[in-house]
Amino acid sequence: MAAVHAFNKCRFRVLNPLLFLLLSWPAAMPAVSAVSAAEEGFCSISPSISGPTSRSLYWKVSNPTLSPSHLQDLPGFTRSVYKRDHAVIAPESQVFGPLNNWVNTLGAYLISPAMGSHFTMYLAKMQEDSRSALPAKDVERFVFVVEGMAVLSDASGLNHQLGVDFYAYIPANSMHSLQSDSMATLVIFERRYASLDGHYPEQIVGSTDEQPLLEIPGEIFELRKLLPTSTPYDFNIHIMDFHPGEYLNVKEVHYNQHGLLLLEGQGIYRLGDNWYPVQAGDVIWMAPYVLQWYAALGKTRSRYLLYKDVSRDPLLCF
């Protein structure tokens, strides 16, 4: 009798609906190994290219896929969102098309005045024998290479090779061109220059590693500024590095606008009352005075590139 009672008790446990669902779940979902899940995490990106030798420094920016793997083919799924004072644009939502007057280049405008910004941010994917066009009159340009190699030819006739992690600032109305003999991916910021009498910015070409780490009182992340902090420059580009578990101490609210590209890693970004999981390849727009905060998650460094308007009285911008 005791044996029958034990059998019935065991059978009841197996037929318990919740336990049955848990036992059935792995068979109903695509196979994802425990090791893979532990290594990748929810926000990680699976590569669409194979082999470690084909991975450049920021390979996740230009080769993104949804993750975990059982979401890759889920129709309609995206983390992208657009609101009045911010936007998160995940890679699966980026739409590429021909860039006006560029040769053999596709572009995706990710931030533009249509959403309320006073600058544009776009990705330019250059193909073989590609060439850029000039920006509009009085528009300055900043270029950062995330994949491949491009050559900047400037007004003085000099050529500058720009590899991954290299960048260039070109003042408004400066003659120049960007060319590539093979595939290259650039992130480009453009805005109408807010001129001040007696102040004239100069062309700058450099690389991230050349820039010193700056002290940030009260913060623990690492900061590099790619442009001078002097008055001639009306915006700057920051490179910000967070080790896993690090976060912004200040919950920022300010008049400056931001355009952000997450180059490496993953984390949580707070924008207003919204909390977004983000990963390499994501783009974020932050309007003036939106509450913003970031924390790095996962097992690897987070690095993002950040546009910020600076050195101008807000009254002069309207």
Side-chain angles (χ1 to χ4, degrees), residues 251-265:
K251 282 63 69 177
E252 297 183 359
V253 177
H254 50 60
Y255 78 90
N256 314 82
Q257 293 194 32
H258 285 319
L260 180 154
L261 172 63
L262 194 58
L263 296 169
E264 294 183 89

Side-chain angles (χ1 to χ4, degrees), residues 228-277:
T229 56
S230 54
T231 303
Y233 299 88
D234 58 357
F235 73 90
N236 213 311
I237 301 292
H238 297 178
I239 295 290
M240 300 171 66
D241 292 335
F242 297 78
H243 295 292
E246 293 182 346
Y247 55 87
L248 288 170
N249 182 49
V250 177
K251 282 63 69 177
E252 297 183 359
V253 177
H254 50 60
Y255 78 90
N256 314 82
Q257 293 194 32
H258 285 319
L260 180 154
L261 172 63
L262 194 58
L263 296 169
E264 294 183 89
Q266 57 194 38
I268 295 291
Y269 225 104
R270 180 180 180 183
L271 298 167
D273 293 328
N274 304 275
W275 303 73
Y276 299 104

Side-chain angles (χ1 to χ4, degrees), residues 9 47 95 137 144 155-156 160 199 255 272 308 317:
K9 186 176 182 181
V95 180
K137 182 182 179 182
F144 186 92
S156 59
H160 309 270
H199 295 281
Y255 78 90
K308 181 179 183 178
C317 299

